[in-house]
Amino acid sequence: MILKIKFIFLITILCFFTKSSFAVPAFPGHIVFKKNDGTTFVGKQFGDEWFNWIEAEDGNIVLRDRESHEFRYAEIVSFQGQRKLEPSEIKFSIER
């Protein structure tokens, strides 16, 4: 009986830690991002390592293009019935 209780306890603990270890949340504060041209902007990162985005101070959603490493405005793209955020063709610029 004690062995059965220990086994159930162990499985419960393993399930809890396994589920919580799948993703790490983004830093909750504001971050200064540096663009390729040397200018900077302040934004807040949301999401985890699998699904994330940057919200600029003006409220625009920005993503970094994986190929050019430029920050671009995000657009919603549908693929195989699922929607996701992708970098658009428009480079992000902040008016000061």
Side-chain angles (χ1 to χ4, degrees):
M1 179 69 177
I2 293 176
L3 185 60
K4 189 175 184 180
I5 292 172
K6 286 182 180 180
F7 179 75
I8 292 172
F9 178 75
L10 179 65
I11 295 298
T12 304
I13 295 297
L14 286 175
C15 288
F16 174 74
F17 284 116
T18 303
K19 184 176 181 182
S20 64
S21 66
F22 280 119
V24 177
F27 176 72
H30 288 87
I31 303 170
V32 177
F33 293 94
K34 187 175 182 182
K35 296 171 47 175
N36 287 355
D37 62 3
T39 61
T40 61
F41 70 95
V42 176
K44 194 168 182 182
Q45 201 164 7
F46 292 92
D48 55 34
E49 70 263 28
W50 304 112
F51 180 71
N52 55 65
W53 65 94
I54 300 164
E55 184 177 314
E57 284 185 309
D58 60 2
N60 284 306
I61 305 299
V62 181
L63 295 174
R64 179 173 251 161
D65 189 321
R66 291 182 180 171
E67 293 175 13
S68 67
H69 302 288
E70 290 281 348
F71 287 98
R72 300 183 179 273
Y73 291 100
E75 64 181 348
I76 299 172
V77 177
S78 292
F79 181 72
Q80 296 180 347
Q82 293 186 340
R83 289 183 277 177
K84 61 181 184 174
L85 289 174
E86 289 288 331
S88 70
E89 296 296 318
I90 305 169
K91 289 183 182 179
F92 174 70
S93 65
I94 188 143
E95 303 292 327
R96 294 189 186 213

